[in-house]
Amino acid sequence: MPSKTADPQGRTPLADPGWAYVEGPSLEEYSAAELAVLERQRAVYFAERQAADVLRMLAGSADDPSFGYPVNNYRHCLQSASMALRDGLDEETVVVALLHDIAFVASPTAHGAVAAALLRPYISEANHWMLLHHQVFQDFHMVGDPGVDRDARERWRGHASFEWTARFVARYDQNAMDASYDALPLSIFEPMVRRLFARPPRRFAPE
């Protein structure tokens, strides 16, 4: 647990009292030795806290109101993950289903890209591509909206992950808004989320 002792210099308590601070207000002032300390402590810090932070983001929306759907985004995510689990999908994909709309409110027009960026270091390319594109694939199901281009997804027809994305959206997304659905509680998925984020992350160069 973080130390609660007040620091005379006003510094934030360290997550581990045995850790060391690096000094200086900017990266340019850190020595190679100080940067090595940061990197060592950073690895432990993220391993212990990343999954908890993501779960807190999702759990924080549990009591959010809806703007018209029968369920809010939190319940939608639980439904999606419950359906995937009950269909026997692998654990990674169940977690992807749980978190596919984690930024639905924070980033309405780009929530797929946010989820894709968050999970990319830990998931398959197929699931990453699906997250990145699932918003456009949803338009295929907007049969009652004449202003939507239901064929927008066709620009990617032939891509290796096209069929998987179409199936995910059809089976675990566009139909996961049923107020009577018996979704599993978040506690069922928490260990899965922690195992996913415990994977060694892959590094990606900026695109």
Side-chain angles (χ1 to χ4, degrees):
M1 294 292 293
S3 171
K4 301 299 183 182
T5 304
D7 183 85
Q9 298 181 46
R11 297 174 298 192
T12 299
L14 292 166
D16 184 327
W19 285 355
Y21 289 102
V22 295
E23 303 298 339
S26 71
L27 290 174
E28 293 178 350
E29 298 182 34
Y30 295 159
S31 68
E34 287 175 316
L35 290 172
V37 167
L38 272 184
E39 195 61 29
R40 182 172 62 252
Q41 295 173 178
R42 182 202 314 269
V44 177
Y45 184 89
F46 285 155
E48 292 178 350
R49 291 177 173 266
Q50 187 177 16
D53 202 50
V54 171
L55 287 164
R56 185 164 59 244
M57 289 168 60
L58 184 60
S61 66
D63 296 323
D64 282 1
S66 166
F67 60 86
Y69 287 125
V71 299
N72 64 10
N73 186 61
Y74 174 79
R75 292 175 64 187
H76 165 68
C77 289
L78 289 179
Q79 281 191 40
S80 181
S82 298
M83 290 175 174
L85 182 63
R86 287 165 175 162
D87 274 1
L89 299 191
D90 62 273
E91 186 168 286
E92 174 188 305
T93 304
V94 172
V95 174
V96 166
L98 179 72
L99 301 177
H100 76 283
D101 275 354
I102 194 167
F104 184 76
V105 176
S107 183
T109 61
H111 69 267
V114 174
L118 172 68
L119 293 170
R120 186 180 186 187
Y122 307 97
I123 61 176
S124 69
E125 283 301 320
N127 276 329
H128 172 259
W129 198 91
M130 180 277 292
L131 288 171
L132 196 58
H133 295 85
H134 81 274
Q135 283 182 260
V136 176
F137 278 63
Q138 283 179 332
D139 289 346
F140 177 78
H141 301 276
M142 299 290 288
V143 295
D145 188 345
V148 168
D149 180 5
R150 295 184 60 220
D151 293 324
R153 69 182 191 175
E154 292 303 315
R155 75 189 81 169
W156 296 296
R157 175 74 68 177
H159 188 279
S161 299
F162 182 96
E163 295 299 334
W164 163 235
T165 304
R167 183 160 65 91
F168 178 90
V169 170
R171 176 72 184 118
Y172 307 112
D173 192 9
Q174 64 87 28
N175 61 330
M177 293 171 286
D178 182 354
S180 65
Y181 183 81
D182 182 24
L184 296 167
L186 182 58
S187 59
I188 295 295
F189 304 106
E190 286 180 3
M192 304 180 194
V193 174
R194 295 183 188 282
R195 285 192 290 269
L196 182 82
F197 283 101
R199 295 178 177 181
R202 293 175 291 160
R203 292 184 177 271
F204 296 94
E207 296 178 353

